[in-house]
Every structure is written in C-alpha cells, then in structure tokens.
Amino acid sequence: MRRRNDARLATANFDLSPFTLAWEITRACALACLHCRAQAQPKPDPNQLTTAEAMSVVDQIRDMGDPILVITGGDPLMRRDVYDILTYAAGHGLRTSLTPSATALVTPKNLARVRESGVVRVAISLDGPAADTHDRFRGFSGSFQRTLEIMRDVREAGLTLQINTTVSRYNLAALEEMPEIVAEAAAVQWSVFFLVPTGRGKAEDMISAEEHERVFHWLYDLSREAPFDVKSTAAPPYRRVAIQRSRGEDPVGGGTSEQPIAGAGYRFQDGLHRPALGVNDGKGFAFISHTGDVCPSGFLPLAAGNVRERPLADIYRTSSLFRDLRDPEKLKGRCGACEYRTVCGGSRARAWALTGDYLAEDPSCVYQPQTAAV
C-alpha cells in the first residue's frame, strides 16, 4: 500500500496562493474531443497572450509562492514559443508539468525539448482501454494507438508519465480495465476526472450521483494497492469517501488506517485523522485562460479578472468570486450543512453548470449530512 504526503498542504494558506495553477496557453488543437472543456479550435486565437505577456504571467505566478504549474490547452504544443515558456517557468523554480494533445506534434524530438526545458512530468489523456471507446471521445480514428505510442515515447524521453481519464457514461463500464493499462505504462499517477458539463461536455453524458459514489469506493480500494498514485479531479466528494473508509465508518470499507493519507488535495495529519486542507475551485486552485482571464478552475469559467488589467495575486486574493469560494459558510443546501464542507465543499464547477449557482449543493453527491463534526 503506497502513501505519499505533500508537506506543503500542512502549511499552505489558500487565501494567499493556490496549491495548483492550470494555465491554458492556447485553445488551438487538432483534435475535437466530445467533452472538451476549452471547445478547442483549429487555429490559435489572435487575442491569446503574447510571449512577453506569458513571461510576465510566469513572474506573477512565482511571486505568489510555489504552486504546481500545469501548462495545458487546447494543445500547448501548438504555440511556437511553448518551449520558451516551459524553460522560463522551470528556470524560475516552478514545478511545471505539460498536458499535450495526442497529435503528431508529440514526437521524440519535441519530448526531448520538453525535458531539456526542465519539465519533469507529462500528462497524457487516455479515456478508454480500447480504440472504440477512446477514439469516440477524441473524435479521430487512430487516436488510441497514437496515445499508446506517445506514452511509450514519454517514458523513453526520461519524463515522468501521468495518465488522465475522464469518467462519463461512455466509458463507465470499461473503467475497471484501465488500471492494468496505467500500470503497464509505468505511469506514476492516474488522475481520474469526472465530467463537468461545460464546454462541449453535456449534462446527459455525466454519470449519476449513485455511480459517482460507487466509483469513489472503487478508487479508494484501488488506491490502497495500485503501483501508482490515484487522484480524483472535479470530484471533491471522493475525499469524504476516503475519510469514511480510512476511519472504518463505512461498512463497505472495513478497518481503519493509522497512516497519513494524501491525494486529491487533502491530507490527514494527526491521530484524529482531521483533514488539514481541501483543494477546490478557487480554493487552492486557479486557472488562467489563453487570453488572460483568471477563473476558479477550467471547469468553472467565470472570470474574476484578467492579468492584462490586474495582477494575478490581487485577483486570486481579493476578488469576490474567489473569496466566496473559499468561505464554507456561504455554501448552500447539503454542502452548506455538511460536516465535510471544509475538506470537500462539493464541486463548485458542477453546481454552477447544473444550477447556475456556484455556491449550490453538488448534484453529484449522494451524502446526507450528519450532526457529528469532522
């Protein structure tokens, strides 16, 4: 059983700096994925941040502290200056990862340039264990095979591989086949995204609240035995399941855990297993769009400001949107009454997408709050 902790979670102040920052440096992409958050387009937006503006953004991120920086898109490799941006970010001490699309741009030569820039981890999306599922997601025949080749090339380039999978009704039945592929690929982390109906993603493609709960329990079991880290994304209620299971409160789980548990932006630190911090949209997480808009996450595309007009730190720390999202007392419905609201808080992006209110209860959670405090 593997346990990995990030000591920064114990001391981080999410009012001052995000734990993770995702930056969509372009929306250009050759693919047309069914669930694309960015609604990517074939050509770059002429209004995307310039190289000089991008370097200024890196400076602003570094001035905020030491967040993990995820360079994403669209396809970030469709920016000609991507290697300059990566080199500048890594050279300024930011732990920078890259999430390219599985296109012809991801060559061994370009992966070598990524490594030379100082990037350590590359995340590749794989949304099914076979071509029929994955290629339907990605909108192109042959995408599955190309993705497998890229995963091999990432390893051979000496880069650390992370595999991202988005859970939807299209691949739910095949999800249990994925861990074997992740393990065989020697990935260090499987990041399991849960579809949020934004961009091209549709509400009818989401799995049900009950299916979310079943997958959470399955992921928890997997996390205790897999040779790779398991992380949930856009699914804060997974933390509640992990807490319940580790405490032995849930009849499905059985047993207790005396070891610290880390993952998905939460951590147990003392003998009482109290969660220290819980990353959520706008709370330990921020997103910068290709044109400089600053949002709580890519799945919650509400701009609190733009880096062309206002400093990043000022937007994150003082905007009413971000401050609302960091205040658990403002949560509504079951999320507001829930004893797990400080470590979970529900998906603010999913609440907004399905109700129009980013403070509403998370429709994907089945939990009924209890009276006992966490």
Side-chain angles (χ1 to χ4, degrees):
M1 177 168 54
R2 303 164 78 241
R3 299 290 192 199
R4 293 184 180 177
N5 296 318
D6 192 327
R8 293 176 306 138
L9 276 175
T11 58
N13 184 342
F14 290 166
D15 287 332
L16 296 179
S17 178
F19 180 74
T20 302
L21 193 147
W23 181 10
E24 168 198 83
I25 62 172
T26 185
R27 279 200 174 173
C29 184
L31 301 182
C33 304
L34 284 178
H35 60 295
C36 180
R37 166 206 58 76
Q39 300 188 73
Q41 53 208 37
K43 296 182 179 180
D45 185 333
N47 195 39
Q48 71 183 19
L49 296 174
T50 66
T51 300
E53 289 172 325
M55 300 308 183
S56 174
V57 168
V58 172
D59 291 335
Q60 292 184 56
I61 295 170
R62 192 66 184 93
D63 287 344
M64 289 183 73
D66 188 27
I68 295 170
L69 176 60
V70 180
I71 300 294
T72 185
D75 181 4
L77 294 187
M78 288 192 72
R79 274 194 70 134
R80 294 182 179 179
D81 59 358
V82 60
Y83 304 105
D84 296 327
I85 295 172
L86 294 173
T87 300
Y88 192 73
H92 280 66
L94 289 169
R95 287 157 302 164
T96 308
S97 64
L98 179 71
T99 61
S101 299
T103 70
L105 293 175
V106 191
T107 63
K109 180 180 178 180
N110 285 341
L111 288 171
R113 295 183 69 184
V114 170
R115 184 183 179 189
E116 290 166 4
S117 74
V119 169
V120 174
R121 180 175 297 194
V122 171
I124 301 296
S125 293
L126 184 67
D127 291 307
D132 55 349
T133 306
H134 178 84
D135 288 0
R136 183 179 183 186
F137 256 67
R138 297 293 152 182
F140 283 92
S141 177
S143 179
F144 177 77
Q145 185 59 40
R146 179 69 187 129
T147 298
L148 296 183
E149 293 168 357
I150 289 172
M151 287 159 49
R152 178 203 63 207
D153 291 343
V154 167
R155 296 194 310 271
E156 293 183 353
L159 292 157
T160 298
L161 174 66
Q162 172 181 318
I163 294 177
N164 297 344
T165 300
T166 298
V167 180
S168 75
R169 67 181 180 88
Y170 295 108
N171 62 358
L172 178 61
L175 201 61
E176 292 189 6
E177 299 176 47
M178 288 298 298
E180 182 178 355
I181 296 177
V182 177
E184 289 179 349
V188 298
Q189 184 177 92
W190 187 29
S191 188
V192 184
F193 289 68
F194 288 78
L195 189 144
V196 175
T198 188
R200 293 195 190 108
K202 297 180 175 59
E204 56 266 30
D205 294 338
M206 284 177 50
I207 61 175
S208 69
E210 292 75 19
E211 288 168 334
H212 273 85
E213 190 78 357
R214 288 198 293 273
V215 175
F216 293 158
H217 282 282
W218 174 73
L219 284 177
Y220 179 79
D221 290 334
L222 177 66
S223 72
R224 297 173 68 85
E225 60 186 30
F228 47 82
D229 288 335
V230 177
K231 178 184 179 293
S232 69
T233 300
Y238 172 66
R239 303 168 197 157
R240 183 257 310 160
V241 169
I243 293 169
Q244 290 175 315
R245 294 288 301 275
S246 69
R247 288 175 169 173
E249 292 177 352
D250 192 286
V252 178
T256 60
S257 173
E258 294 302 321
Q259 301 185 52
I261 298 175
Y266 66 84
R267 182 183 183 188
F268 301 99
Q269 236 181 321
D270 57 19
L272 298 177
H273 299 290
R274 289 196 179 102
L277 294 170
V279 175
N280 207 331
D281 300 329
K283 178 187 175 186
F285 193 96
F287 173 88
I288 304 173
S289 80
H290 64 299
T291 58
D293 283 339
V294 181
C295 305
S297 81
F299 300 111
L300 182 50
L302 299 176
N306 189 289
V307 294
R308 284 173 163 153
E309 304 165 354
R310 189 175 167 193
L312 173 63
D314 185 46
I315 297 171
Y316 178 84
R317 293 169 182 170
T318 69
S319 68
S320 58
L321 173 59
F322 276 83
R323 289 172 66 89
D324 280 352
L325 291 167
R326 292 196 293 269
D327 185 354
E329 299 303 316
K330 292 193 174 183
L331 294 174
K332 302 174 184 177
R334 288 179 295 124
C335 286
C338 186
E339 64 272 25
Y340 292 94
R341 65 184 179 275
T342 58
V343 69
C344 171
S347 171
R348 300 298 93 222
R350 193 170 287 104
W352 179 77
L354 295 178
T355 72
D357 183 351
Y358 57 79
L359 295 173
E361 67 180 46
D362 183 350
S364 68
C365 181
V366 301
Y367 185 68
Q368 295 298 325
Q370 309 296 310
T371 56
V374 174

